[in-house]
Amino acid sequence: MNSKVKRYIDIILSAVGLIVLSPLFLVIAFLIKRDSEGPVFLKLKRISRGKEFDFYKFRSMIKDAHALNPQMRLIRNDRPNAGPFWKMRDDRRITRVGKFLRSHFLDELPSLLNVLKGDISLVGPRPHEPEEVVQYKEKYREVAAAKAGITSLPRLYNPHLTFEEEMNLENEYLKNQSLWLDFKILAKTLLKVLRDRPEG
């Protein structure tokens, strides 16, 4: 795949997206501030191309919720055969507005700025936490070294994929990546966002 063409597409689409969605950003920012105490935006450490960067998101949890992650991981992991990944359903740290944002993937809209900066692409393996990547980078070196993306092939599947299933899909994307595949993943992601509803 032509990486320069992909980069040009990333720049154009992310810039247009940030401009077109700017009114929505203001509405979301207002709702977040009205709903709970804390900042509107978060900067979370993630890995792309084997390097750490600040991943931008709308805050969807209570203030300083991510500082509790190490303790929460010890309590429960609702992801099947999770490997290094962790997920907790019905996480009480998620705010009312945050639950809505997450159900429609709106909490990740600020990561369009990461695309514009070149940290990640629109499509690529999901940007995982440094602590997770350390645990799988030897077995899945290609995934750990790849440029991450806002959306990915695993996102189109069941949200409860096992660790191995997700990694196999990431490898499948890397082996077959093309501009056409990227466009298909983007289109299907948009349809999924419009179609899906919260899990209850």
Side-chain angles (χ1 to χ4, degrees), residues 110-158:
S111 60
L112 286 171
L113 183 58
N114 289 117
V115 177
L116 189 62
K117 290 172 58 182
D119 298 324
I120 60 176
S121 290
L122 290 170
V123 181
R126 293 190 66 183
H128 291 131
E129 298 179 27
E131 295 80 7
E132 296 173 340
V133 175
V134 165
Q135 297 181 58
Y136 73 69
K137 68 178 181 179
E138 289 303 318
K139 185 175 181 180
Y140 297 101
R141 293 181 181 179
E142 293 83 2
V143 177
K147 191 173 186 178
I150 289 181
T151 189
S152 60
L153 191 57
R155 172 157 281 182
L156 305 180
Y157 289 77
N158 187 304

Side-chain angles (χ1 to χ4, degrees), residues 9-184:
I9 293 173
D10 281 343
I11 292 173
I12 293 171
L13 293 184
S14 61
V16 170
L18 287 167
I19 294 171
V20 172
L21 296 172
S22 56
L24 179 60
F25 274 53
L26 292 175
V27 172
I28 292 174
F30 171 76
L31 293 175
I32 290 173
K33 293 299 290 184
R34 184 177 181 181
D35 184 52
S36 60
E37 180 185 357
V40 170
F41 300 101
L42 291 179
K43 290 196 300 183
L44 305 176
K45 297 300 180 183
R46 294 291 185 267
I47 298 294
S48 177
R49 294 178 292 186
K51 298 179 181 179
E52 193 173 289
F53 73 100
D54 290 324
F55 184 69
Y56 304 116
K57 294 184 69 173
F58 280 121
R59 180 175 60 82
S60 59
M61 290 186 168
I62 59 173
K63 184 179 179 181
D64 298 325
H66 290 276
L68 301 174
N69 277 357
Q71 298 95 305
M72 301 293 284
R73 286 173 182 265
L74 297 175
I75 297 173
R76 191 174 86 231
N77 190 348
D78 291 322
R79 183 159 181 165
N81 301 317
F85 296 161
W86 175 76
K87 182 178 182 180
M88 180 179 286
R89 299 179 194 171
D90 303 319
D91 193 330
R92 294 185 179 181
R93 296 175 300 166
I94 301 175
T95 64
R96 290 176 301 172
V97 170
K99 186 174 183 180
F100 175 81
L101 295 179
R102 286 182 170 216
S103 69
H104 295 281
F105 302 109
L106 296 176
D107 61 315
E108 297 185 12
L109 286 180
S111 60
L112 286 171
L113 183 58
N114 289 117
V115 177
L116 189 62
K117 290 172 58 182
D119 298 324
I120 60 176
S121 290
L122 290 170
V123 181
R126 293 190 66 183
H128 291 131
E129 298 179 27
E131 295 80 7
E132 296 173 340
V133 175
V134 165
Q135 297 181 58
Y136 73 69
K137 68 178 181 179
E138 289 303 318
K139 185 175 181 180
Y140 297 101
R141 293 181 181 179
E142 293 83 2
V143 177
K147 191 173 186 178
I150 289 181
T151 189
S152 60
L153 191 57
R155 172 157 281 182
L156 305 180
Y157 289 77
N158 187 304
H160 308 302
L161 291 172
T162 65
F163 167 69
E164 296 291 340
E165 288 171 339
E166 180 167 328
M167 288 295 101
N168 287 336
L169 287 170
E170 299 287 28
N171 273 325
E172 180 182 334
Y173 167 77
L174 292 175
K175 290 177 181 178
N176 301 288
Q177 60 181 313
S178 66
L179 293 177
W180 175 239
L181 179 57
D182 280 6
F183 280 122
K184 287 201 296 184

